[in-house]
Amino acid sequence: MLLAREIAENAPLAVQSTRATMRMGILDSVRAHLAHELSEQTRLRQTEDHREGLRAVTERRPGQFTGR
């Protein structure tokens, strides 16, 4: 439960992205995973949640994520 709570406190889009990457399966090539991760990181850097996360870190406070 502690781990589930810790995961739930994170930005929802990042958690969804990580789950999608994990679902790809370990038999897929590392290259495919890296390409997917690069694509996701590029997309997520454009979100409001990313900007909020950066602000929260610099202001030393918990993030207020909206899933956008």
Side-chain angles (χ1 to χ4, degrees), residues 2-67:
L2 183 62
L3 178 58
R5 275 193 285 267
E6 185 177 334
I7 291 169
E9 290 173 358
N10 288 286
L13 296 175
V15 173
Q16 290 169 6
S17 171
T18 301
R19 291 184 69 214
T21 299
M22 293 172 67
R23 281 192 302 268
M24 289 178 75
I26 62 174
L27 297 179
D28 293 345
S29 71
V30 171
R31 188 171 287 157
H33 285 290
L34 290 174
H36 175 75
E37 186 62 24
L38 176 60
S39 172
E40 288 295 294
Q41 290 295 326
T42 300
R43 180 179 68 85
L44 293 172
R45 271 190 232 113
Q46 307 303 312
T47 66
E48 291 177 25
D49 275 359
H50 176 75
R51 290 186 289 279
E52 166 57 15
L54 292 175
R55 281 191 305 271
V57 168
T58 59
E59 296 171 6
R60 298 177 188 252
R61 61 173 173 78
Q64 300 292 324
F65 302 108
T66 62

